[in-house]
């Protein structure tokens, strides 16, 4: 943190006012010195209601009307996955910084367009990756930076739900399980958090080769299945060969007939880490040591001894502090782009029935962006 911290007021616009958009709105309104000055939605009645409920001075169903407001510093993109790319491109071209929901887009092709446009327009682009801001991740990062893992050679990205498929298992809307809207299933909905978390801790290594399989096997209520148009995966596995000889195993379930998988973990020559429940494992001579860390006191000291403030409390808090110039922005766009490459690599491997290279994914990836 800088010694002199800026308290500059940041003015925000929000594009998309559904469930996720409201969460963004509530979080912004909880941060001192942030003003949500306008929102854009697709349904006029719902958008007007959100504006009234949250005392937002301007609302519209025309994206370009919101982007034309000169006072807006940045926008949050809270739309379905296949709308991330067109909305982000419009916002960047209008001179706004962009904070976009995960996954970055519907395909690697579209995510790359977003990344390159942000670079060309010299605007900040950040992707909502909340997993990077947990105390578990912060503790793991410190352990790794101290060299306590030694040479890291293997990692596992794991996510488990016994029954947690959107809509068909009782929550959310059908758009979450429709390829035309979401671009993918379990991998895009929650897998991105776990994959991105590991990539962040490994300093975002380059993927070389990817193999994977996806499944939709666990029975669904017939009426919900018919209403949902469910055509994405509920379960995905993958193996990624990374630069430097590292391997990344991926297993992600929206639904699985098991009690648990265990959390994501990393193995090194000197030690190992598991993220949830958090553990640090190493040996001294003949003694195997399983270390338990007091994450609550760790978080307290980050705030009150290291004086980190709110800058690493969450993705939006971090975004605001970066816009104020108080901290460097974590490379969430770069990490999210690599996550897209890996995720699409799993889909492509499943489709072709073979291992694919990163070059295969880049060459074959096509836009799935819907008109905005």
């Amino acid at each position: 943190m800088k010694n002199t911290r800026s308290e500059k007021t940041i003015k925000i616009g929000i594009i998309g006012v559904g469930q996720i958009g409201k969460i963004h709105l509530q979080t912004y309104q909880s941060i001192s010195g942030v003003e949500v000055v306008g929102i854009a939605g697709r349904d006029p009645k719902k958008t007007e209601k959100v504006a009234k409920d949250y005392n937002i001075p301007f609302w519209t169903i025309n994206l370009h009307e919101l982007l034309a407001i000169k006072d807006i510093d940045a926008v949050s993109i809270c739309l379905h996955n296949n709308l991330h790319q067109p909305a982000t491109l419009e916002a960047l071209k209008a001179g706004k910084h962009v904070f976009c929901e995960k996954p970055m887009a519907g395909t690697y092709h579209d995510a790359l367009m977003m990344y390159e446009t942000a670079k060309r327009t010299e605007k900040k682009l950040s992707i909502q990756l909340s997993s990077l801001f947990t105390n578990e991740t912060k503790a793991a990062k410190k352990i790794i930076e101290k060299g306590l893992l030694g040479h890291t050679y293997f990692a596992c990205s794991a996510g488990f739900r016994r029954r947690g498929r959107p809509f068909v298992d009782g929550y959310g809307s059908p758009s979450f399980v429709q390829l035309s809207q979401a671009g993918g299933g379990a991998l895009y909905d929650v897998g991105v958090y776990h994959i991105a978390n590991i990539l962040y801790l490994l300093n975002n290594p380059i993927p070389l080769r990817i193999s994977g399989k996806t499944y939709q096997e666990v029975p669904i209520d017939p009426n919900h299945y018919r209403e949902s148009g469910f055509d994405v995966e509920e379960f995905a596995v993958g193996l990624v060969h990374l630069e430097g000889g590292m391997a990344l195993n991926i297993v992600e379930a929206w639904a699985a007939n098991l009690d648990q998988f265990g959390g994501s973990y990393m193995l090194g020559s000197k030690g190992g880490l598991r993220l949830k429940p958090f553990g640090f494992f190493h040996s001294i001579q003949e003694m195997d040591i399983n270390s338990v860390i007091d994450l609550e006191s760790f978080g307290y000291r980050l705030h009150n001894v290291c004086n980190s403030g709110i800058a690493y409390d969450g993705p939006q808090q971090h975004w605001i502090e970066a816009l104020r110039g108080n901290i460097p922005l974590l490379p969430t766009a770069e990490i999210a782009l690599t996550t897209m490459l890996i995720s699409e690599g799993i889909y492509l491997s499943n489709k072709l029935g073979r291992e694919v290279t990163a070059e295969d994914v880049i060459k074959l990836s096509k836009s799935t962006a819907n008109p905005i």
Side-chain angles (χ1 to χ4, degrees), residues 14-58:
I14 295 179
I15 301 171
V17 292
Q19 178 183 355
I20 300 300
K22 291 174 187 175
I23 292 173
H24 280 233
L25 203 164
Q26 292 162 6
T27 302
Y28 282 131
Q29 290 189 332
S30 73
I31 303 172
S32 177
V34 176
E35 294 181 15
V36 179
V37 299
I39 59 175
R42 308 186 82 177
D43 183 301
K45 290 184 179 180
K46 291 180 180 178
T47 307
E48 182 180 22
K49 184 178 187 307
V50 171
K52 288 182 178 179
D53 288 346
Y54 292 92
N55 296 313
I56 308 301
F58 176 84

Side-chain angles (χ1 to χ4, degrees), residues 141 144-145 198-206 243 335:
K141 192 69 169 175
I144 293 167
E145 288 175 345
I198 293 294
L199 292 175
Y200 169 63
L201 293 172
L202 294 175
N203 292 321
N204 200 25
I206 298 171
E243 64 177 344
I335 292 166

Side-chain angles (χ1 to χ4, degrees), residues 185-340:
L187 271 180
Y188 277 8
D189 182 40
V190 285
V192 293
Y193 285 128
H194 307 126
I195 297 170
N197 209 9
I198 293 294
L199 292 175
Y200 169 63
L201 293 172
L202 294 175
N203 292 321
N204 200 25
I206 298 171
L208 303 176
R209 304 188 309 281
I210 306 157
S211 60
K213 287 286 293 179
T214 64
Y215 298 91
Q216 185 195 118
E217 295 285 344
V218 177
I220 298 172
D221 174 83
N223 291 329
H224 274 200
Y225 184 78
R226 187 165 49 252
E227 292 174 31
S228 69
F230 198 122
D231 61 352
V232 294
E233 85 285 352
E234 69 186 13
F235 182 84
V237 294
L239 178 64
V240 186
H241 296 261
L242 300 167
E243 64 177 344
M246 291 185 289
L248 170 60
N249 184 62
I250 296 165
V251 55
E252 195 68 42
W254 262 348
N257 292 316
L258 205 65
D259 58 344
Q260 62 178 337
F261 291 158
S264 299
Y265 62 86
M266 304 171 63
L267 300 178
S269 57
K270 294 181 180 179
L273 280 169
R274 185 181 58 235
L275 292 178
K276 286 190 178 181
F278 191 86
F280 172 46
F281 309 91
H282 60 118
S283 298
I284 299 176
Q285 295 183 340
E286 287 75 33
M287 297 177 289
D288 293 334
I289 301 172
N290 301 343
S291 301
V292 177
I293 295 174
D294 186 339
L295 292 173
E296 185 175 346
S297 64
F298 168 64
Y300 177 85
R301 291 191 184 106
L302 288 178
H303 280 84
N304 298 288
V305 179
C306 302
N307 298 316
S308 63
I310 67 166
Y312 297 92
D313 282 358
Q316 286 173 255
Q317 291 86 345
H318 178 78
W319 173 238
I320 294 300
E321 289 300 284
L323 290 177
R324 287 174 171 151
N326 291 328
I327 55 167
L329 184 65
L330 287 179
T332 55
E334 289 86 347
I335 292 166
L337 186 61
T338 305
T339 302
M340 290 298 309

Side-chain angles (χ1 to χ4, degrees), residues 108-179:
Y108 175 81
H109 175 280
D110 289 335
L112 183 62
M113 286 186 67
M114 294 163 61
Y115 181 77
E116 291 179 339
T117 303
K119 291 296 183 184
R120 186 171 62 253
T121 58
E122 299 182 336
K123 294 298 174 183
K124 288 182 172 64
L125 172 63
S126 188
I127 308 302
Q128 190 281 106
L129 296 175
S130 59
S131 55
L132 273 55
F133 299 91
T134 66
N135 281 340
E136 288 86 353
T137 298
K138 294 171 192 174
K141 192 69 169 175
K142 285 186 176 292
I143 288 170
I144 293 167
E145 288 175 345
K146 290 292 183 182
L148 298 177
L149 292 195
H151 169 64
T152 305
Y153 56 89
F154 181 78
C156 177
S157 166
F160 176 82
R161 292 180 182 176
R162 180 69 177 265
R163 292 289 185 277
R165 297 162 294 191
F167 186 73
V168 300
D169 286 327
Y171 76 98
S173 64
S175 56
F176 282 94
V177 296
Q178 295 170 356
L179 191 65

Side-chain angles (χ1 to χ4, degrees), residues 70-137:
K70 293 182 179 180
D71 286 347
I72 289 178
D73 299 299
V75 296
S76 269
I77 307 294
C78 306
L79 302 168
H80 293 305
N81 303 343
N82 282 331
L83 293 172
H84 288 181
Q85 182 253 57
T88 296
L89 296 189
E90 291 298 323
L92 291 170
K93 292 173 184 176
K96 312 302 183 187
H97 302 293
V98 174
F99 181 79
C100 182
E101 259 298 327
K102 59 78 192 168
M104 194 166 180
T107 62
Y108 175 81
H109 175 280
D110 289 335
L112 183 62
M113 286 186 67
M114 294 163 61
Y115 181 77
E116 291 179 339
T117 303
K119 291 296 183 184
R120 186 171 62 253
T121 58
E122 299 182 336
K123 294 298 174 183
K124 288 182 172 64
L125 172 63
S126 188
I127 308 302
Q128 190 281 106
L129 296 175
S130 59
S131 55
L132 273 55
F133 299 91
T134 66
N135 281 340
E136 288 86 353
T137 298

